[in-house]
Amino acid sequence: MRLAQLLYDRVGPWGATTVLLAIIDGEGGLRMSGVAGAPTQAVSDWSRIPLRCLFPLTRLAPKERLLWLDDDSGDRILIWVTTWHTSAPVDDTLVCVVTVTWPKGPALEPAVAGRAAELAGDTGRALCGLAELALPGDEFAAPWLAAVLNAIPIPAALVFPVRDKRLQVVELRIERCNTHATDVLGRAPDHITGRGLLTAFPGLAAAGIFGAFVGVLETGVPFEQGPFAYEEPMSGVRYPAVMSLRAQRVGGGLLVSWQFHDEQARMAGRIDDAERLVGLGWAEWNLVTGETTWSRGVYDILSVDPESDPLPLDALPRYVHEDDRPAAAEATRTLAAGTETVTFEVRTVPAARIRHARITAELVRDSLGNMIAVHGVVQDVSATRRIEAALEASRQEAERQRQHRAEELQLALLPKPGGRLPGLRIAVRYRPAEDCARVGGDWFEAAPLPDGRILIAIGDVSGHGLRAAASMARLRNALLGIAHTGADAAGILDCLNLVTLNSQESAVMATSVVGHFDPGNRTLAWARGGHPPPVLVRDGRARELRNAEGTSLGAVTEAGYRVVTTRLRPGDRVILYTDGLVERRDAPWSRRMALLRDAARRGAAGDPEEHLDTLLSALDTNPEDDTCVILLHVED
């Protein structure tokens, strides 16, 4: 048995060769209960020793007695013996014997002999405690004992008293532990087994627990101590812990179980802290028992008194903003109809401030498909939504400021739209692309010249934003300078082509229509370079004006532009525009041009401004490109 081995481990280094533990029953038979260090044959011989060999010792030792004997071979034997009266229903007297054998040789040193005698006494008293258990066949190492201890789901141990000469309990020896047993430092059962209780847990004496255990031995009344503050003396400091204890007398010893709550408390605290830091909570609704369980985080998110009971499922809608209840109801229907998790977001009320709660829920079913529970995780995402709202407000304000500055810049670059010129009423619309700054490369000009003609021009520089606007400004300034030299429309385009070719900006391309309106004879002499043709609206019909397309500005040196003269009548309207009006990725050019002609006819009855509104509304300008439209109305 383990008790014999433990003793042998202590006395073996001092030369001992054999440790034998035995119990003599009331009928005088000797039964071996443990051996260590002896060969098999010696164990067999000892097991058949008749009672008469030890009977004199039992007469001499009604209580504990220690003897040193020499046998015939010269071996020296240390014998500890006592008579033990069990507390079983039928009183029985047992004789417990501990023997330690040293081979023939010099006498042991006094200090070694004294320490060996103390160890034999401690072992004998533990043996008496085991004898009190009345184990089957007196096999004190029986497997069932280990099985019983290991079935206890918390740390547990079997301890036996260690008594002094006056039979006072001075220590409790830990004889066996289960696999869960650890001390405050988490050391394993092997470290605890065989040690004194006060050695393994020195703080028990100061806590009054050791005295309580002795009381259990004396009275048989079980002891239980709920979670209490415990301090373990360790390296000059006191290590704090929280533990619970139970003790039950078993024969001559105690079955003790204990549990440290520090890790559980720390884990619960960590979970609470984690929920609080990220605004999280979990909930469970048992659909079979009706029981509802919430973590503290759910109470906080829903602003429910944490001292109150958690809410059943049918009570939750009144804590959801009325505008969000349809979404919550739809999520509930989806959850009930399927097996996947459902995630949705609602605002919660009532509260001092509305909260945004993101809910993920799953439906638990049994093997038959019956709904048995709903599990849910609730997260407060209010801070995220507030940040998103603030960022969106900042973005919109920045966009307003950007648009305002861009519009001011565009107004500075372009002439004031609309108004009257000799023989003409003019309406202009400019719309920048939606995905860039509200400045671009589209431009127009309508200005009187010294010779009485009216300069009419429209153009488009490739690209968007400030770079395109800068190129547009250079072309427009060049246009005004060249126009005052008296050059015709083709000559102006030739010059603008050279300006574009020699631009410092790489790969600049542009298109343009340039014309001169003569108020005296109502003619429009015009040329175009790669630009969409003007549309003439007359007598309820609309058609494109014909002229060779010419080459885009900046493409080649010799572009070959030519002038076409169109005679106009009072009431005629000429529409000049950039490609943003008619180009769309999802529609062919011919279809868009047909739509332009149709809109031009339908709007011709209104004044020029209304006509332009009708035109732009019907064509729904391209949001990816700038759009500029000029409408010329010929007056009487």
CSV table of all heavy atoms in Angstrom, one decimal, residues 321-351:
chain,number,residue,atom,x,y,z
A,321,HIS,N,-38.1,51.1,-30.6
A,321,HIS,CA,-38.7,52.3,-31.3
A,321,HIS,C,-39.7,51.9,-32.3
A,321,HIS,O,-39.5,50.9,-33.0
A,321,HIS,CB,-37.5,53.1,-31.9
A,321,HIS,CG,-38.0,54.5,-32.4
A,321,HIS,ND1,-38.8,54.7,-33.5
A,321,HIS,CD2,-37.7,55.7,-31.8
A,321,HIS,CE1,-39.0,56.0,-33.6
A,321,HIS,NE2,-38.4,56.6,-32.6
A,322,GLU,N,-40.8,52.6,-32.3
A,322,GLU,CA,-42.0,52.1,-33.1
A,322,GLU,C,-41.6,52.1,-34.6
A,322,GLU,O,-42.2,51.2,-35.3
A,322,GLU,CB,-43.2,53.1,-32.9
A,322,GLU,CG,-42.9,54.5,-33.2
A,322,GLU,CD,-44.2,55.4,-33.0
A,322,GLU,OE1,-45.2,54.8,-32.6
A,322,GLU,OE2,-44.1,56.6,-33.2
A,323,ASP,N,-40.7,52.9,-35.0
A,323,ASP,CA,-40.3,52.8,-36.4
A,323,ASP,C,-39.5,51.6,-36.8
A,323,ASP,O,-39.4,51.2,-37.9
A,323,ASP,CB,-39.5,54.1,-36.8
A,323,ASP,CG,-40.3,55.4,-36.8
A,323,ASP,OD1,-41.6,55.2,-36.8
A,323,ASP,OD2,-39.8,56.5,-36.7
A,324,ASP,N,-38.9,51.0,-35.8
A,324,ASP,CA,-38.1,49.8,-36.0
A,324,ASP,C,-38.8,48.5,-35.7
A,324,ASP,O,-38.2,47.4,-35.9
A,324,ASP,CB,-36.8,49.9,-35.1
A,324,ASP,CG,-35.9,51.1,-35.5
A,324,ASP,OD1,-36.0,51.5,-36.6
A,324,ASP,OD2,-35.1,51.5,-34.7
A,325,ARG,N,-40.0,48.6,-35.2
A,325,ARG,CA,-40.7,47.4,-34.8
A,325,ARG,C,-41.0,46.5,-36.0
A,325,ARG,O,-40.9,45.2,-35.9
A,325,ARG,CB,-42.0,47.7,-34.1
A,325,ARG,CG,-41.8,48.2,-32.7
A,325,ARG,CD,-43.0,48.7,-32.0
A,325,ARG,NE,-42.7,49.4,-30.7
A,325,ARG,CZ,-43.6,50.1,-30.0
A,325,ARG,NH1,-44.8,50.2,-30.4
A,325,ARG,NH2,-43.2,50.6,-28.9
A,326,PRO,N,-41.3,47.0,-37.2
A,326,PRO,CA,-41.5,46.1,-38.4
A,326,PRO,C,-40.3,45.3,-38.7
A,326,PRO,O,-40.3,44.1,-39.0
A,326,PRO,CB,-41.9,47.1,-39.5
A,326,PRO,CG,-42.5,48.3,-38.8
A,326,PRO,CD,-41.7,48.4,-37.5
A,327,ALA,N,-39.1,45.9,-38.6
A,327,ALA,CA,-37.8,45.2,-38.9
A,327,ALA,C,-37.6,44.1,-37.8
A,327,ALA,O,-37.2,43.0,-38.2
A,327,ALA,CB,-36.7,46.2,-38.9
A,328,ALA,N,-37.9,44.4,-36.6
A,328,ALA,CA,-37.8,43.4,-35.5
A,328,ALA,C,-38.8,42.2,-35.7
A,328,ALA,O,-38.4,41.1,-35.6
A,328,ALA,CB,-38.0,44.0,-34.2
A,329,ALA,N,-40.0,42.6,-36.2
A,329,ALA,CA,-41.0,41.5,-36.4
A,329,ALA,C,-40.6,40.7,-37.6
A,329,ALA,O,-40.7,39.4,-37.6
A,329,ALA,CB,-42.4,42.2,-36.7
A,330,GLU,N,-40.0,41.3,-38.6
A,330,GLU,CA,-39.6,40.5,-39.8
A,330,GLU,C,-38.4,39.6,-39.4
A,330,GLU,O,-38.4,38.4,-39.8
A,330,GLU,CB,-39.1,41.5,-40.9
A,330,GLU,CG,-38.6,40.8,-42.1
A,330,GLU,CD,-39.6,39.9,-42.8
A,330,GLU,OE1,-40.8,40.1,-42.6
A,330,GLU,OE2,-39.2,38.9,-43.5
A,331,ALA,N,-37.5,40.1,-38.6
A,331,ALA,CA,-36.4,39.2,-38.1
A,331,ALA,C,-36.9,38.0,-37.3
A,331,ALA,O,-36.4,36.9,-37.4
A,331,ALA,CB,-35.4,40.1,-37.3
A,332,THR,N,-37.9,38.3,-36.5
A,332,THR,CA,-38.5,37.2,-35.7
A,332,THR,C,-39.2,36.1,-36.6
A,332,THR,O,-39.0,34.9,-36.4
A,332,THR,CB,-39.6,37.8,-34.7
A,332,THR,OG1,-39.0,38.8,-33.9
A,332,THR,CG2,-40.2,36.7,-33.9
A,333,ARG,N,-39.9,36.6,-37.6
A,333,ARG,CA,-40.5,35.6,-38.6
A,333,ARG,C,-39.4,34.8,-39.3
A,333,ARG,O,-39.5,33.6,-39.5
A,333,ARG,CB,-41.4,36.3,-39.6
A,333,ARG,CG,-42.7,36.9,-39.0
A,333,ARG,CD,-43.6,37.3,-40.0
A,333,ARG,NE,-43.1,38.5,-40.7
A,333,ARG,CZ,-43.4,39.8,-40.3
A,333,ARG,NH1,-44.2,40.0,-39.2
A,333,ARG,NH2,-42.9,40.8,-40.9
A,334,THR,N,-38.3,35.5,-39.7
A,334,THR,CA,-37.2,34.8,-40.4
A,334,THR,C,-36.6,33.8,-39.5
A,334,THR,O,-36.2,32.7,-39.9
A,334,THR,CB,-36.2,35.8,-40.9
A,334,THR,OG1,-36.8,36.8,-41.7
A,334,THR,CG2,-35.0,35.1,-41.6
A,335,LEU,N,-36.4,34.2,-38.2
A,335,LEU,CA,-35.8,33.3,-37.2
A,335,LEU,C,-36.6,32.0,-37.0
A,335,LEU,O,-36.1,30.9,-37.0
A,335,LEU,CB,-35.6,34.0,-35.9
A,335,LEU,CG,-34.8,33.3,-34.8
A,335,LEU,CD1,-33.4,33.0,-35.2
A,335,LEU,CD2,-34.9,34.0,-33.5
A,336,ALA,N,-37.9,32.2,-36.9
A,336,ALA,CA,-38.8,31.1,-36.6
A,336,ALA,C,-39.0,30.2,-37.8
A,336,ALA,O,-39.2,29.0,-37.7
A,336,ALA,CB,-40.2,31.6,-36.3
A,337,ALA,N,-38.7,30.7,-39.0
A,337,ALA,CA,-38.9,29.9,-40.2
A,337,ALA,C,-37.7,29.1,-40.6
A,337,ALA,O,-37.8,28.1,-41.4
A,337,ALA,CB,-39.3,30.8,-41.4
A,338,GLY,N,-36.5,29.5,-40.1
A,338,GLY,CA,-35.3,28.8,-40.6
A,338,GLY,C,-34.4,28.3,-39.4
A,338,GLY,O,-34.9,28.2,-38.3
A,339,THR,N,-33.2,28.0,-39.8
A,339,THR,CA,-32.3,27.5,-38.8
A,339,THR,C,-31.0,28.4,-38.7
A,339,THR,O,-30.1,28.1,-37.9
A,339,THR,CB,-31.8,26.1,-39.2
A,339,THR,OG1,-31.2,26.1,-40.5
A,339,THR,CG2,-33.0,25.1,-39.2
A,340,GLU,N,-30.9,29.4,-39.5
A,340,GLU,CA,-29.7,30.3,-39.4
A,340,GLU,C,-29.9,31.4,-38.4
A,340,GLU,O,-31.1,31.7,-38.1
A,340,GLU,CB,-29.5,30.8,-40.8
A,340,GLU,CG,-29.1,29.8,-41.9
A,340,GLU,CD,-28.8,30.4,-43.2
A,340,GLU,OE1,-28.9,31.6,-43.3
A,340,GLU,OE2,-28.5,29.6,-44.1
A,341,THR,N,-28.8,32.0,-38.1
A,341,THR,CA,-28.9,33.2,-37.2
A,341,THR,C,-29.4,34.4,-37.9
A,341,THR,O,-29.3,34.5,-39.1
A,341,THR,CB,-27.5,33.5,-36.6
A,341,THR,OG1,-26.6,33.8,-37.7
A,341,THR,CG2,-26.9,32.3,-35.8
A,342,VAL,N,-30.0,35.3,-37.2
A,342,VAL,CA,-30.6,36.5,-37.7
A,342,VAL,C,-29.9,37.7,-37.0
A,342,VAL,O,-29.8,37.7,-35.8
A,342,VAL,CB,-32.1,36.5,-37.5
A,342,VAL,CG1,-32.6,37.9,-37.9
A,342,VAL,CG2,-32.8,35.4,-38.3
A,343,THR,N,-29.5,38.7,-37.8
A,343,THR,CA,-28.9,39.9,-37.3
A,343,THR,C,-29.7,41.1,-37.7
A,343,THR,O,-29.9,41.2,-38.9
A,343,THR,CB,-27.4,40.0,-37.7
A,343,THR,OG1,-26.7,38.9,-37.2
A,343,THR,CG2,-26.8,41.3,-37.1
A,344,PHE,N,-30.0,42.0,-36.8
A,344,PHE,CA,-30.7,43.2,-37.2
A,344,PHE,C,-30.4,44.3,-36.2
A,344,PHE,O,-29.8,44.0,-35.1
A,344,PHE,CB,-32.3,42.9,-37.3
A,344,PHE,CG,-32.9,42.4,-36.0
A,344,PHE,CD1,-33.6,43.3,-35.1
A,344,PHE,CD2,-32.8,41.1,-35.6
A,344,PHE,CE1,-34.1,42.8,-34.0
A,344,PHE,CE2,-33.3,40.6,-34.4
A,344,PHE,CZ,-34.0,41.5,-33.6
A,345,GLU,N,-30.8,45.5,-36.5
A,345,GLU,CA,-30.5,46.6,-35.6
A,345,GLU,C,-31.8,47.4,-35.4
A,345,GLU,O,-32.6,47.7,-36.3
A,345,GLU,CB,-29.5,47.5,-36.3
A,345,GLU,CG,-28.9,48.6,-35.4
A,345,GLU,CD,-27.8,49.4,-36.0
A,345,GLU,OE1,-26.9,48.7,-36.5
A,345,GLU,OE2,-27.8,50.6,-35.9
A,346,VAL,N,-31.9,47.8,-34.1
A,346,VAL,CA,-33.1,48.6,-33.7
A,346,VAL,C,-32.6,49.7,-32.8
A,346,VAL,O,-31.5,49.7,-32.2
A,346,VAL,CB,-34.2,47.7,-33.0
A,346,VAL,CG1,-34.7,46.7,-33.9
A,346,VAL,CG2,-33.6,47.1,-31.7
A,347,ARG,N,-33.5,50.7,-32.6
A,347,ARG,CA,-33.3,51.7,-31.6
A,347,ARG,C,-34.2,51.4,-30.4
A,347,ARG,O,-35.3,50.9,-30.5
A,347,ARG,CB,-33.7,53.1,-32.1
A,347,ARG,CG,-32.7,53.6,-33.2
A,347,ARG,CD,-33.3,54.8,-34.0
A,347,ARG,NE,-34.4,54.3,-34.8
A,347,ARG,CZ,-35.2,55.1,-35.5
A,347,ARG,NH1,-35.0,56.4,-35.5
A,347,ARG,NH2,-36.1,54.6,-36.3
A,348,THR,N,-33.6,51.6,-29.2
A,348,THR,CA,-34.3,51.2,-28.0
A,348,THR,C,-34.9,52.4,-27.3
A,348,THR,O,-34.3,53.5,-27.3
A,348,THR,CB,-33.4,50.4,-27.0
A,348,THR,OG1,-32.3,51.4,-26.6
A,348,THR,CG2,-32.7,49.3,-27.7
A,349,VAL,N,-36.1,52.2,-26.7
A,349,VAL,CA,-36.8,53.2,-25.8
A,349,VAL,C,-37.5,52.4,-24.7
A,349,VAL,O,-37.7,51.2,-24.9
A,349,VAL,CB,-37.8,54.0,-26.6
A,349,VAL,CG1,-37.2,54.9,-27.6
A,349,VAL,CG2,-38.8,53.0,-27.3
A,350,PRO,N,-37.8,53.0,-23.6
A,350,PRO,CA,-37.5,54.4,-23.2
A,350,PRO,C,-36.1,54.5,-22.6
A,350,PRO,O,-35.6,53.5,-22.0
A,350,PRO,CB,-38.6,54.7,-22.2
A,350,PRO,CG,-38.8,53.3,-21.5
A,350,PRO,CD,-38.7,52.3,-22.6
A,351,ALA,N,-35.5,55.6,-22.8
A,351,ALA,CA,-34.2,55.9,-22.2
A,351,ALA,C,-34.0,57.4,-22.3
A,351,ALA,O,-34.7,58.1,-23.0
A,351,ALA,CB,-33.1,55.1,-23.0
